[in-house]
Amino acid sequence: MILWILAALLGAGVAAGALVLLSRGEKTRASGTDGQLLSFCGGAVLSSFVLLTSFQIVGAWDLQATVRQHASDEARVLTKTYAAAGALPPSDREAVRAGLRDYTHTVIDQEWPALADGHDTARAWRQLDLIASRVAALAVTAHDRTADTEAAVADLYVKRHARLADPSSITPIVLPVAMIVTGVFAIVFPALVGPTADRRHTTALAFVGAIIAFAVLLVLQLRNPYTDPLAVHPTSFRTALTRYTQLG
């Protein structure tokens, strides 16, 4: 919340300061300017900012929905694998299920924070590989009893790959940079061609600056679905842990 307030105050301060420093005096205003050209330039700058902001908000919102769906899919397959492991011999069943529990905890406690920096964890891969190796070894001697578990583990790899591919869908850095540049132009432009710096005009432009700064911060926060304060959390994996307990 403090960050949002600071961003709004910064935008308001930039807008008000630009108006005070760059606004034209009455003599300059009386010298005449091409109003239609200035109106076109201002509209183009503002339209560019709105377009860039809207595009990134929609894209980020879609990416967040995709991240939640892929996490839910993987957690569902984890639960399916845990249930299928119930058909294994007792010692192997407990080993496979313990591996699934460890893997789920690793995703929640270690991999999810790492995804905010754009990478996964090698430990989770090792744990999943150990589970797959144990199930594959069992399949050699008891294929009928391990077929469901083996298929579930194979599906788990597919879901994991899909989830880990999500960070690559984050918009390229050029888009937020372009948005920030056009946002600054949108704030400063009225001060260059618009009203004098009286109290009413300064307050109005400061309000616009706060709105633009808020929009910029919102896009930057949404850009990475794993970062706070609008992060996607591993709720589906926590639900899977609960289901493990219910399955025994």
mmCIF file of all heavy atoms in Angstrom, residues 185-235:
data_model
loop_
_atom_site.group_PDB
_atom_site.id
_atom_site.type_symbol
_atom_site.label_atom_id
_atom_site.label_comp_id
_atom_site.label_asym_id
_atom_site.label_seq_id
_atom_site.Cartn_x
_atom_site.Cartn_y
_atom_site.Cartn_z
ATOM 1 N N PHE A 185 5.726 11.715 -20.940
ATOM 2 C CA PHE A 185 5.341 12.700 -21.956
ATOM 3 C C PHE A 185 3.906 13.179 -21.731
ATOM 4 O O PHE A 185 3.609 14.367 -21.884
ATOM 5 C CB PHE A 185 5.465 12.095 -23.350
ATOM 6 C CG PHE A 185 6.871 12.011 -23.866
ATOM 7 C CD1 PHE A 185 7.178 11.263 -24.996
ATOM 8 C CD2 PHE A 185 7.900 12.683 -23.224
ATOM 9 C CE1 PHE A 185 8.480 11.186 -25.471
ATOM 10 C CE2 PHE A 185 9.203 12.613 -23.683
ATOM 11 C CZ PHE A 185 9.496 11.857 -24.807
ATOM 12 N N ALA A 186 3.018 12.233 -21.380
ATOM 13 C CA ALA A 186 1.621 12.606 -21.161
ATOM 14 C C ALA A 186 1.470 13.559 -19.984
ATOM 15 O O ALA A 186 0.583 14.426 -19.974
ATOM 16 C CB ALA A 186 0.776 11.347 -20.927
ATOM 17 N N ILE A 187 2.352 13.412 -18.986
ATOM 18 C CA ILE A 187 2.294 14.310 -17.825
ATOM 19 C C ILE A 187 2.882 15.680 -18.147
ATOM 20 O O ILE A 187 2.341 16.720 -17.762
ATOM 21 C CB ILE A 187 3.051 13.669 -16.638
ATOM 22 C CG1 ILE A 187 2.297 12.435 -16.114
ATOM 23 C CG2 ILE A 187 3.227 14.684 -15.509
ATOM 24 C CD1 ILE A 187 3.048 11.681 -15.039
ATOM 25 N N VAL A 188 3.996 15.675 -18.870
ATOM 26 C CA VAL A 188 4.729 16.927 -19.114
ATOM 27 C C VAL A 188 4.107 17.744 -20.245
ATOM 28 O O VAL A 188 4.154 18.974 -20.219
ATOM 29 C CB VAL A 188 6.210 16.610 -19.426
ATOM 30 C CG1 VAL A 188 6.958 17.860 -19.850
ATOM 31 C CG2 VAL A 188 6.872 15.970 -18.213
ATOM 32 N N PHE A 189 3.497 17.065 -21.209
ATOM 33 C CA PHE A 189 3.006 17.766 -22.402
ATOM 34 C C PHE A 189 2.050 18.921 -22.080
ATOM 35 O O PHE A 189 2.203 20.014 -22.641
ATOM 36 C CB PHE A 189 2.337 16.767 -23.347
ATOM 37 C CG PHE A 189 2.000 17.354 -24.689
ATOM 38 C CD1 PHE A 189 2.958 17.464 -25.685
ATOM 39 C CD2 PHE A 189 0.715 17.815 -24.944
ATOM 40 C CE1 PHE A 189 2.641 18.019 -26.913
ATOM 41 C CE2 PHE A 189 0.390 18.368 -26.165
ATOM 42 C CZ PHE A 189 1.362 18.469 -27.153
ATOM 43 N N PRO A 190 1.056 18.726 -21.187
ATOM 44 C CA PRO A 190 0.158 19.866 -20.899
ATOM 45 C C PRO A 190 0.894 21.075 -20.344
ATOM 46 O O PRO A 190 0.501 22.223 -20.593
ATOM 47 C CB PRO A 190 -0.819 19.290 -19.867
ATOM 48 C CG PRO A 190 -0.801 17.822 -20.114
ATOM 49 C CD PRO A 190 0.609 17.512 -20.496
ATOM 50 N N ALA A 191 1.976 20.843 -19.590
ATOM 51 C CA ALA A 191 2.728 21.967 -19.042
ATOM 52 C C ALA A 191 3.449 22.753 -20.138
ATOM 53 O O ALA A 191 3.685 23.956 -20.002
ATOM 54 C CB ALA A 191 3.751 21.455 -18.023
ATOM 55 N N LEU A 192 3.777 22.072 -21.222
ATOM 56 C CA LEU A 192 4.488 22.740 -22.312
ATOM 57 C C LEU A 192 3.571 23.621 -23.155
ATOM 58 O O LEU A 192 4.010 24.652 -23.682
ATOM 59 C CB LEU A 192 5.159 21.694 -23.217
ATOM 60 C CG LEU A 192 6.291 20.875 -22.589
ATOM 61 C CD1 LEU A 192 6.733 19.783 -23.550
ATOM 62 C CD2 LEU A 192 7.461 21.782 -22.230
ATOM 63 N N VAL A 193 2.324 23.204 -23.294
ATOM 64 C CA VAL A 193 1.449 23.894 -24.239
ATOM 65 C C VAL A 193 0.142 24.378 -23.627
ATOM 66 O O VAL A 193 -0.652 25.029 -24.307
ATOM 67 C CB VAL A 193 1.108 22.960 -25.418
ATOM 68 C CG1 VAL A 193 2.362 22.545 -26.152
ATOM 69 C CG2 VAL A 193 0.348 21.729 -24.938
ATOM 70 N N GLY A 194 -0.073 24.055 -22.369
ATOM 71 C CA GLY A 194 -1.391 24.291 -21.800
ATOM 72 C C GLY A 194 -1.492 25.492 -20.898
ATOM 73 O O GLY A 194 -0.967 26.568 -21.212
ATOM 74 N N PRO A 195 -2.112 25.328 -19.748
ATOM 75 C CA PRO A 195 -2.491 26.455 -18.889
ATOM 76 C C PRO A 195 -1.318 27.032 -18.110
ATOM 77 O O PRO A 195 -0.241 26.450 -18.039
ATOM 78 C CB PRO A 195 -3.505 25.813 -17.929
ATOM 79 C CG PRO A 195 -3.063 24.390 -17.834
ATOM 80 C CD PRO A 195 -2.556 24.040 -19.186
ATOM 81 N N THR A 196 -1.565 28.187 -17.511
ATOM 82 C CA THR A 196 -0.596 28.776 -16.600
ATOM 83 C C THR A 196 -0.667 28.035 -15.272
ATOM 84 O O THR A 196 -1.618 27.315 -14.981
ATOM 85 C CB THR A 196 -0.916 30.265 -16.374
ATOM 86 O OG1 THR A 196 -2.272 30.382 -15.944
ATOM 87 C CG2 THR A 196 -0.715 31.050 -17.641
ATOM 88 N N ALA A 197 0.363 28.238 -14.432
ATOM 89 C CA ALA A 197 0.501 27.445 -13.207
ATOM 90 C C ALA A 197 -0.263 28.077 -12.053
ATOM 91 O O ALA A 197 0.312 28.400 -11.012
ATOM 92 C CB ALA A 197 1.974 27.290 -12.871
ATOM 93 N N ASP A 198 -1.585 28.243 -12.181
ATOM 94 C CA ASP A 198 -2.355 28.676 -11.025
ATOM 95 C C ASP A 198 -2.752 27.451 -10.207
ATOM 96 O O ASP A 198 -2.519 26.308 -10.588
ATOM 97 C CB ASP A 198 -3.588 29.480 -11.453
ATOM 98 C CG ASP A 198 -4.502 28.692 -12.364
ATOM 99 O OD1 ASP A 198 -4.590 27.452 -12.230
ATOM 100 O OD2 ASP A 198 -5.139 29.304 -13.247
ATOM 101 N N ARG A 199 -3.355 27.683 -9.043
ATOM 102 C CA ARG A 199 -3.643 26.593 -8.109
ATOM 103 C C ARG A 199 -4.599 25.577 -8.699
ATOM 104 O O ARG A 199 -4.409 24.367 -8.549
ATOM 105 C CB ARG A 199 -4.243 27.176 -6.825
ATOM 106 C CG ARG A 199 -4.530 26.134 -5.751
ATOM 107 C CD ARG A 199 -5.115 26.774 -4.513
ATOM 108 N NE ARG A 199 -4.201 27.795 -3.981
ATOM 109 C CZ ARG A 199 -4.495 28.568 -2.948
ATOM 110 N NH1 ARG A 199 -5.682 28.478 -2.364
ATOM 111 N NH2 ARG A 199 -3.612 29.451 -2.511
ATOM 112 N N ARG A 200 -5.602 26.013 -9.406
ATOM 113 C CA ARG A 200 -6.607 25.099 -9.953
ATOM 114 C C ARG A 200 -5.995 24.193 -11.021
ATOM 115 O O ARG A 200 -6.212 22.980 -11.014
ATOM 116 C CB ARG A 200 -7.766 25.908 -10.545
ATOM 117 C CG ARG A 200 -8.903 25.075 -11.077
ATOM 118 C CD ARG A 200 -10.121 25.963 -11.290
ATOM 119 N NE ARG A 200 -9.826 27.043 -12.225
ATOM 120 C CZ ARG A 200 -9.994 26.967 -13.545
ATOM 121 N NH1 ARG A 200 -10.449 25.853 -14.082
ATOM 122 N NH2 ARG A 200 -9.727 27.993 -14.323
ATOM 123 N N HIS A 201 -5.223 24.773 -11.935
ATOM 124 C CA HIS A 201 -4.608 23.978 -13.000
ATOM 125 C C HIS A 201 -3.559 23.026 -12.443
ATOM 126 O O HIS A 201 -3.442 21.877 -12.894
ATOM 127 C CB HIS A 201 -3.970 24.902 -14.038
ATOM 128 C CG HIS A 201 -4.981 25.687 -14.804
ATOM 129 N ND1 HIS A 201 -4.675 26.896 -15.412
ATOM 130 C CD2 HIS A 201 -6.293 25.463 -15.059
ATOM 131 C CE1 HIS A 201 -5.766 27.368 -16.014
ATOM 132 N NE2 HIS A 201 -6.752 26.510 -15.806
ATOM 133 N N THR A 202 -2.784 23.483 -11.454
ATOM 134 C CA THR A 202 -1.755 22.625 -10.858
ATOM 135 C C THR A 202 -2.383 21.421 -10.165
ATOM 136 O O THR A 202 -1.902 20.290 -10.289
ATOM 137 C CB THR A 202 -0.914 23.420 -9.856
ATOM 138 O OG1 THR A 202 -0.321 24.556 -10.519
ATOM 139 C CG2 THR A 202 0.188 22.553 -9.268
ATOM 140 N N THR A 203 -3.474 21.634 -9.442
ATOM 141 C CA THR A 203 -4.155 20.533 -8.755
ATOM 142 C C THR A 203 -4.710 19.524 -9.749
ATOM 143 O O THR A 203 -4.587 18.306 -9.562
ATOM 144 C CB THR A 203 -5.291 21.084 -7.879
ATOM 145 O OG1 THR A 203 -4.752 22.002 -6.916
ATOM 146 C CG2 THR A 203 -6.002 19.947 -7.149
ATOM 147 N N ALA A 204 -5.327 20.021 -10.816
ATOM 148 C CA ALA A 204 -5.912 19.128 -11.815
ATOM 149 C C ALA A 204 -4.837 18.264 -12.481
ATOM 150 O O ALA A 204 -5.004 17.050 -12.649
ATOM 151 C CB ALA A 204 -6.664 19.941 -12.864
ATOM 152 N N LEU A 205 -3.719 18.886 -12.853
ATOM 153 C CA LEU A 205 -2.662 18.133 -13.518
ATOM 154 C C LEU A 205 -1.975 17.178 -12.543
ATOM 155 O O LEU A 205 -1.557 16.081 -12.942
ATOM 156 C CB LEU A 205 -1.639 19.088 -14.132
ATOM 157 C CG LEU A 205 -0.619 18.445 -15.093
ATOM 158 C CD1 LEU A 205 -1.350 17.731 -16.229
ATOM 159 C CD2 LEU A 205 0.324 19.496 -15.656
ATOM 160 N N ALA A 206 -1.864 17.556 -11.288
ATOM 161 C CA ALA A 206 -1.289 16.653 -10.287
ATOM 162 C C ALA A 206 -2.153 15.401 -10.140
ATOM 163 O O ALA A 206 -1.638 14.290 -9.979
ATOM 164 C CB ALA A 206 -1.146 17.365 -8.947
ATOM 165 N N PHE A 207 -3.456 15.582 -10.191
ATOM 166 C CA PHE A 207 -4.371 14.441 -10.107
ATOM 167 C C PHE A 207 -4.162 13.497 -11.293
ATOM 168 O O PHE A 207 -4.118 12.268 -11.128
ATOM 169 C CB PHE A 207 -5.811 14.956 -10.071
ATOM 170 C CG PHE A 207 -6.831 13.868 -9.909
ATOM 171 C CD1 PHE A 207 -6.978 13.196 -8.712
ATOM 172 C CD2 PHE A 207 -7.654 13.508 -10.968
ATOM 173 C CE1 PHE A 207 -7.910 12.181 -8.568
ATOM 174 C CE2 PHE A 207 -8.587 12.502 -10.841
ATOM 175 C CZ PHE A 207 -8.722 11.833 -9.627
ATOM 176 N N VAL A 208 -4.014 14.064 -12.487
ATOM 177 C CA VAL A 208 -3.759 13.247 -13.678
ATOM 178 C C VAL A 208 -2.427 12.513 -13.540
ATOM 179 O O VAL A 208 -2.313 11.327 -13.879
ATOM 180 C CB VAL A 208 -3.770 14.123 -14.940
ATOM 181 C CG1 VAL A 208 -3.316 13.310 -16.155
ATOM 182 C CG2 VAL A 208 -5.154 14.705 -15.175
ATOM 183 N N GLY A 209 -1.409 13.208 -13.034
ATOM 184 C CA GLY A 209 -0.113 12.577 -12.839
ATOM 185 C C GLY A 209 -0.183 11.412 -11.873
ATOM 186 O O GLY A 209 0.466 10.374 -12.079
ATOM 187 N N ALA A 210 -0.974 11.542 -10.801
ATOM 188 C CA ALA A 210 -1.133 10.450 -9.838
ATOM 189 C C ALA A 210 -1.796 9.242 -10.487
ATOM 190 O O ALA A 210 -1.402 8.093 -10.245
ATOM 191 C CB ALA A 210 -1.951 10.932 -8.637
ATOM 192 N N ILE A 211 -2.791 9.480 -11.323
ATOM 193 C CA ILE A 211 -3.475 8.379 -12.016
ATOM 194 C C ILE A 211 -2.521 7.653 -12.957
ATOM 195 O O ILE A 211 -2.487 6.414 -13.007
ATOM 196 C CB ILE A 211 -4.701 8.911 -12.782
ATOM 197 C CG1 ILE A 211 -5.765 9.432 -11.806
ATOM 198 C CG2 ILE A 211 -5.292 7.826 -13.676
ATOM 199 C CD1 ILE A 211 -6.948 10.075 -12.482
ATOM 200 N N ILE A 212 -1.733 8.403 -13.720
ATOM 201 C CA ILE A 212 -0.790 7.784 -14.651
ATOM 202 C C ILE A 212 0.266 6.982 -13.899
ATOM 203 O O ILE A 212 0.608 5.856 -14.290
ATOM 204 C CB ILE A 212 -0.135 8.864 -15.531
ATOM 205 C CG1 ILE A 212 -1.180 9.432 -16.510
ATOM 206 C CG2 ILE A 212 1.056 8.295 -16.299
ATOM 207 C CD1 ILE A 212 -0.662 10.553 -17.382
ATOM 208 N N ALA A 213 0.778 7.525 -12.796
ATOM 209 C CA ALA A 213 1.773 6.797 -12.008
ATOM 210 C C ALA A 213 1.178 5.520 -11.423
ATOM 211 O O ALA A 213 1.840 4.478 -11.382
ATOM 212 C CB ALA A 213 2.303 7.687 -10.889
ATOM 213 N N PHE A 214 -0.070 5.588 -10.982
ATOM 214 C CA PHE A 214 -0.751 4.394 -10.450
ATOM 215 C C PHE A 214 -0.871 3.331 -11.537
ATOM 216 O O PHE A 214 -0.633 2.139 -11.287
ATOM 217 C CB PHE A 214 -2.136 4.786 -9.931
ATOM 218 C CG PHE A 214 -2.902 3.643 -9.326
ATOM 219 C CD1 PHE A 214 -2.776 3.348 -7.981
ATOM 220 C CD2 PHE A 214 -3.754 2.869 -10.102
ATOM 221 C CE1 PHE A 214 -3.480 2.289 -7.418
ATOM 222 C CE2 PHE A 214 -4.458 1.815 -9.549
ATOM 223 C CZ PHE A 214 -4.316 1.520 -8.201
ATOM 224 N N ALA A 215 -1.224 3.746 -12.757
ATOM 225 C CA ALA A 215 -1.365 2.794 -13.861
ATOM 226 C C ALA A 215 -0.029 2.150 -14.203
ATOM 227 O O ALA A 215 0.043 0.935 -14.459
ATOM 228 C CB ALA A 215 -1.942 3.508 -15.086
ATOM 229 N N VAL A 216 1.037 2.937 -14.195
ATOM 230 C CA VAL A 216 2.368 2.395 -14.489
ATOM 231 C C VAL A 216 2.763 1.357 -13.443
ATOM 232 O O VAL A 216 3.243 0.260 -13.770
ATOM 233 C CB VAL A 216 3.408 3.525 -14.553
ATOM 234 C CG1 VAL A 216 4.826 2.954 -14.586
ATOM 235 C CG2 VAL A 216 3.173 4.399 -15.777
ATOM 236 N N LEU A 217 2.553 1.681 -12.174
ATOM 237 C CA LEU A 217 2.917 0.745 -11.108
ATOM 238 C C LEU A 217 2.079 -0.529 -11.189
ATOM 239 O O LEU A 217 2.589 -1.634 -10.973
ATOM 240 C CB LEU A 217 2.735 1.414 -9.738
ATOM 241 C CG LEU A 217 3.107 0.532 -8.534
ATOM 242 C CD1 LEU A 217 4.568 0.101 -8.610
ATOM 243 C CD2 LEU A 217 2.831 1.257 -7.226
ATOM 244 N N LEU A 218 0.805 -0.387 -11.512
ATOM 245 C CA LEU A 218 -0.050 -1.563 -11.647
ATOM 246 C C LEU A 218 0.480 -2.510 -12.709
ATOM 247 O O LEU A 218 0.557 -3.731 -12.494
ATOM 248 C CB LEU A 218 -1.479 -1.130 -11.994
ATOM 249 C CG LEU A 218 -2.472 -2.269 -12.280
ATOM 250 C CD1 LEU A 218 -2.660 -3.128 -11.044
ATOM 251 C CD2 LEU A 218 -3.813 -1.696 -12.751
ATOM 252 N N VAL A 219 0.871 -1.959 -13.860
ATOM 253 C CA VAL A 219 1.405 -2.797 -14.940
ATOM 254 C C VAL A 219 2.694 -3.476 -14.504
ATOM 255 O O VAL A 219 2.903 -4.674 -14.752
ATOM 256 C CB VAL A 219 1.639 -1.956 -16.206
ATOM 257 C CG1 VAL A 219 2.421 -2.755 -17.246
ATOM 258 C CG2 VAL A 219 0.315 -1.496 -16.791
ATOM 259 N N LEU A 220 3.580 -2.734 -13.833
ATOM 260 C CA LEU A 220 4.846 -3.318 -13.395
ATOM 261 C C LEU A 220 4.623 -4.421 -12.366
ATOM 262 O O LEU A 220 5.354 -5.425 -12.352
ATOM 263 C CB LEU A 220 5.753 -2.219 -12.814
ATOM 264 C CG LEU A 220 6.214 -1.148 -13.804
ATOM 265 C CD1 LEU A 220 7.075 -0.108 -13.097
ATOM 266 C CD2 LEU A 220 6.980 -1.773 -14.969
ATOM 267 N N GLN A 221 3.618 -4.258 -11.507
ATOM 268 C CA GLN A 221 3.321 -5.287 -10.511
ATOM 269 C C GLN A 221 2.706 -6.519 -11.147
ATOM 270 O O GLN A 221 2.968 -7.649 -10.737
ATOM 271 C CB GLN A 221 2.368 -4.725 -9.439
ATOM 272 C CG GLN A 221 2.953 -3.624 -8.590
ATOM 273 C CD GLN A 221 3.987 -4.138 -7.592
ATOM 274 O OE1 GLN A 221 4.254 -5.325 -7.516
ATOM 275 N NE2 GLN A 221 4.575 -3.245 -6.829
ATOM 276 N N LEU A 222 1.878 -6.310 -12.170
ATOM 277 C CA LEU A 222 1.220 -7.436 -12.837
ATOM 278 C C LEU A 222 2.150 -8.173 -13.790
ATOM 279 O O LEU A 222 1.873 -9.312 -14.163
ATOM 280 C CB LEU A 222 0.000 -6.935 -13.624
ATOM 281 C CG LEU A 222 -1.244 -6.558 -12.830
ATOM 282 C CD1 LEU A 222 -2.283 -5.939 -13.747
ATOM 283 C CD2 LEU A 222 -1.826 -7.777 -12.122
ATOM 284 N N ARG A 223 3.227 -7.522 -14.180
ATOM 285 C CA ARG A 223 4.075 -8.075 -15.234
ATOM 286 C C ARG A 223 4.623 -9.453 -14.871
ATOM 287 O O ARG A 223 4.668 -10.348 -15.712
ATOM 288 C CB ARG A 223 5.222 -7.097 -15.506
ATOM 289 C CG ARG A 223 6.092 -7.483 -16.679
ATOM 290 C CD ARG A 223 7.018 -6.351 -17.056
ATOM 291 N NE ARG A 223 7.911 -6.757 -18.116
ATOM 292 C CZ ARG A 223 9.113 -7.293 -17.911
ATOM 293 N NH1 ARG A 223 9.567 -7.414 -16.677
ATOM 294 N NH2 ARG A 223 9.869 -7.663 -18.923
ATOM 295 N N ASN A 224 5.047 -9.639 -13.636
ATOM 296 C CA ASN A 224 5.532 -10.940 -13.176
ATOM 297 C C ASN A 224 4.476 -11.545 -12.251
ATOM 298 O O ASN A 224 4.229 -11.030 -11.166
ATOM 299 C CB ASN A 224 6.857 -10.792 -12.430
ATOM 300 C CG ASN A 224 7.515 -12.132 -12.151
ATOM 301 O OD1 ASN A 224 6.842 -13.152 -12.001
ATOM 302 N ND2 ASN A 224 8.827 -12.145 -12.083
ATOM 303 N N PRO A 225 3.837 -12.648 -12.655
ATOM 304 C CA PRO A 225 2.731 -13.196 -11.854
ATOM 305 C C PRO A 225 3.171 -13.805 -10.534
ATOM 306 O O PRO A 225 2.316 -14.181 -9.718
ATOM 307 C CB PRO A 225 2.136 -14.270 -12.775
ATOM 308 C CG PRO A 225 3.255 -14.669 -13.672
ATOM 309 C CD PRO A 225 4.070 -13.425 -13.881
ATOM 310 N N TYR A 226 4.479 -13.911 -10.293
ATOM 311 C CA TYR A 226 4.964 -14.532 -9.061
ATOM 312 C C TYR A 226 5.436 -13.515 -8.023
ATOM 313 O O TYR A 226 5.966 -13.901 -6.984
ATOM 314 C CB TYR A 226 6.115 -15.493 -9.379
ATOM 315 C CG TYR A 226 5.732 -16.617 -10.304
ATOM 316 C CD1 TYR A 226 6.043 -16.575 -11.662
ATOM 317 C CD2 TYR A 226 5.046 -17.736 -9.837
ATOM 318 C CE1 TYR A 226 5.682 -17.599 -12.515
ATOM 319 C CE2 TYR A 226 4.682 -18.762 -10.684
ATOM 320 C CZ TYR A 226 5.004 -18.689 -12.022
ATOM 321 O OH TYR A 226 4.633 -19.712 -12.863
ATOM 322 N N THR A 227 5.288 -12.218 -8.316
ATOM 323 C CA THR A 227 5.780 -11.204 -7.397
ATOM 324 C C THR A 227 4.616 -10.516 -6.678
ATOM 325 O O THR A 227 3.551 -10.311 -7.244
ATOM 326 C CB THR A 227 6.612 -10.139 -8.138
ATOM 327 O OG1 THR A 227 5.829 -9.575 -9.211
ATOM 328 C CG2 THR A 227 7.858 -10.763 -8.734
ATOM 329 N N ASP A 228 4.860 -10.164 -5.424
ATOM 330 C CA ASP A 228 3.862 -9.445 -4.618
ATOM 331 C C ASP A 228 3.750 -8.002 -5.108
ATOM 332 O O ASP A 228 4.658 -7.491 -5.761
ATOM 333 C CB ASP A 228 4.285 -9.460 -3.145
ATOM 334 C CG ASP A 228 4.117 -10.846 -2.528
ATOM 335 O OD1 ASP A 228 3.180 -11.549 -2.951
ATOM 336 O OD2 ASP A 228 4.927 -11.201 -1.657
ATOM 337 N N PRO A 229 2.653 -7.307 -4.792
ATOM 338 C CA PRO A 229 1.553 -7.748 -3.928
ATOM 339 C C PRO A 229 0.422 -8.466 -4.660
ATOM 340 O O PRO A 229 -0.558 -8.844 -4.043
ATOM 341 C CB PRO A 229 1.044 -6.427 -3.345
ATOM 342 C CG PRO A 229 1.241 -5.453 -4.462
ATOM 343 C CD PRO A 229 2.517 -5.882 -5.151
ATOM 344 N N LEU A 230 0.530 -8.641 -5.968
ATOM 345 C CA LEU A 230 -0.536 -9.265 -6.749
ATOM 346 C C LEU A 230 -0.103 -10.632 -7.267
ATOM 347 O O LEU A 230 -0.525 -11.063 -8.335
ATOM 348 C CB LEU A 230 -0.946 -8.349 -7.908
ATOM 349 C CG LEU A 230 -1.424 -6.951 -7.508
ATOM 350 C CD1 LEU A 230 -1.650 -6.087 -8.742
ATOM 351 C CD2 LEU A 230 -2.701 -7.034 -6.690
ATOM 352 N N ALA A 231 0.729 -11.329 -6.490
ATOM 353 C CA ALA A 231 1.301 -12.594 -6.942
ATOM 354 C C ALA A 231 0.274 -13.717 -6.933
ATOM 355 O O ALA A 231 -0.681 -13.725 -6.144
ATOM 356 C CB ALA A 231 2.478 -12.970 -6.056
ATOM 357 N N VAL A 232 0.490 -14.681 -7.824
ATOM 358 C CA VAL A 232 -0.248 -15.942 -7.784
ATOM 359 C C VAL A 232 0.440 -16.833 -6.760
ATOM 360 O O VAL A 232 1.662 -17.014 -6.810
ATOM 361 C CB VAL A 232 -0.250 -16.625 -9.163
ATOM 362 C CG1 VAL A 232 -0.947 -17.978 -9.089
ATOM 363 C CG2 VAL A 232 -0.930 -15.733 -10.189
ATOM 364 N N HIS A 233 -0.300 -17.401 -5.841
ATOM 365 C CA HIS A 233 0.263 -18.221 -4.769
ATOM 366 C C HIS A 233 0.041 -19.709 -5.055
ATOM 367 O O HIS A 233 -0.895 -20.073 -5.779
ATOM 368 C CB HIS A 233 -0.373 -17.835 -3.439
ATOM 369 C CG HIS A 233 -0.116 -16.411 -3.045
ATOM 370 N ND1 HIS A 233 1.116 -15.964 -2.625
ATOM 371 C CD2 HIS A 233 -0.927 -15.317 -3.034
ATOM 372 C CE1 HIS A 233 1.052 -14.671 -2.367
ATOM 373 N NE2 HIS A 233 -0.168 -14.254 -2.608
ATOM 374 N N PRO A 234 0.881 -20.587 -4.481
ATOM 375 C CA PRO A 234 0.771 -22.030 -4.742
ATOM 376 C C PRO A 234 -0.367 -22.686 -3.967
ATOM 377 O O PRO A 234 -0.181 -23.732 -3.330
ATOM 378 C CB PRO A 234 2.146 -22.555 -4.307
ATOM 379 C CG PRO A 234 2.579 -21.630 -3.234
ATOM 380 C CD PRO A 234 2.058 -20.260 -3.648
ATOM 381 N N THR A 235 -1.529 -22.090 -4.035
ATOM 382 C CA THR A 235 -2.675 -22.603 -3.280
ATOM 383 C C THR A 235 -3.044 -24.018 -3.705
ATOM 384 O O THR A 235 -3.405 -24.862 -2.854
ATOM 385 C CB THR A 235 -3.884 -21.665 -3.474
ATOM 386 O OG1 THR A 235 -3.513 -20.336 -3.140
ATOM 387 C CG2 THR A 235 -5.049 -22.103 -2.617
#
